[in-house]
Amino acid sequence: MASCFFLLKQFPDVLVYLSSIKPYFTNDETFLYLYGVTSAATANYKDAEEALTAITNDKIRAEYSYVSWLVRTHIMTRHAKKAWDLYLKMDTNAESFLVLQLIANDCYKIGAFYYAVKAFDVLERLDTAPEYVEGLRGACAGVLQQCAAGKEPSESLGDAIRILEASARTHMEGGRQQFAQQNERIVTVMRGY
């Protein structure tokens, strides 16, 4: 029955079934994978992170779906650095690009702006789409706000400034003066802090 609900994406119902048999499958990696994905899909990120990190099977750990769910659970449990480190270990391919987008957007959403800056920086260098430029700027503003509130070390602000300055130079060289000028204005405000 759990399989049927899983395929129908009725994850709360799947979780009822899987939770009832969990004590009997604590070492079964397929179970841990399904339990982790189901827990994450129902926003039980702590349980999901525990289940997914318990998996040692290299075949499962190499799957994109495993990596993306683990990245999301790390971010949602406020372990954005672990998510970033997972990305850094990946080969450069279409899947790593998708993981990078996931990191950028989820980190931004939960307020882990420093890692959102890092992810949007890489995305912007790969593709100068306006949403990556705007995401980078917004994340930099978030880093400034968190530094001002004492929630982020001042070194993070320096990193964000360097990244935004490099972005401004790239836009200037690419003939996108408007983007470059907007980035420079934000850098001026950040330096004023």
Side-chain angles (χ1 to χ4, degrees), residues 119-138:
F120 278 119
D121 174 45
V122 176
L123 286 168
E124 185 193 25
R125 284 188 272 137
L126 295 172
D127 179 1
T128 58
E131 57 266 20
Y132 301 142
V133 176
E134 294 297 327
L136 176 62
R137 288 185 195 140

Side-chain angles (χ1 to χ4, degrees), residues 13-172:
D13 295 325
V14 176
L15 197 55
V16 169
Y17 282 98
L18 294 181
S19 295
S20 70
I21 61 172
K22 184 180 177 189
Y24 306 104
F25 291 95
T26 56
N27 296 322
D28 184 302
E29 301 218 337
T30 302
F31 174 83
L32 290 171
Y33 176 69
L34 294 174
Y35 184 79
V37 169
T38 302
S39 295
T42 56
N44 294 315
Y45 296 111
K46 186 174 186 261
D47 291 345
E49 186 178 39
E50 289 174 11
L52 293 173
T53 56
I55 295 172
T56 59
N57 182 309
D58 290 336
K59 184 177 178 189
I60 294 173
R61 292 174 69 100
E63 292 180 21
Y64 167 72
S65 62
Y66 169 83
V67 173
S68 63
W69 280 112
L70 184 57
V71 162
R72 174 161 279 161
T73 61
H74 281 325
I75 293 168
M76 295 302 178
T77 57
R78 306 289 181 192
H79 300 129
K81 182 178 182 345
K82 289 181 181 179
W84 182 251
D85 291 342
L86 272 173
Y87 163 73
L88 292 177
K89 293 176 186 173
M90 294 182 75
D91 293 331
T92 303
N93 55 31
E95 291 176 350
S96 66
F97 187 80
L98 294 173
V99 167
L100 197 56
Q101 289 177 317
L102 179 66
I103 291 171
N105 292 314
D106 279 3
C107 283
Y108 194 98
K109 182 169 44 174
I110 67 146
F113 294 114
Y114 179 69
Y115 288 98
V117 166
K118 293 176 93 146
F120 278 119
D121 174 45
V122 176
L123 286 168
E124 185 193 25
R125 284 188 272 137
L126 295 172
D127 179 1
T128 58
E131 57 266 20
Y132 301 142
V133 176
E134 294 297 327
L136 176 62
R137 288 185 195 140
C140 285
V143 168
L144 173 62
Q145 183 269 329
Q146 288 180 332
C147 287
K151 295 180 181 177
E152 190 72 45
S154 59
E155 295 81 25
S156 299
L157 183 60
D159 290 347
I161 289 171
R162 283 188 289 283
I163 288 169
L164 204 52
E165 285 175 331
S167 172
R169 282 191 301 275
T170 301
H171 287 298
M172 191 61 81

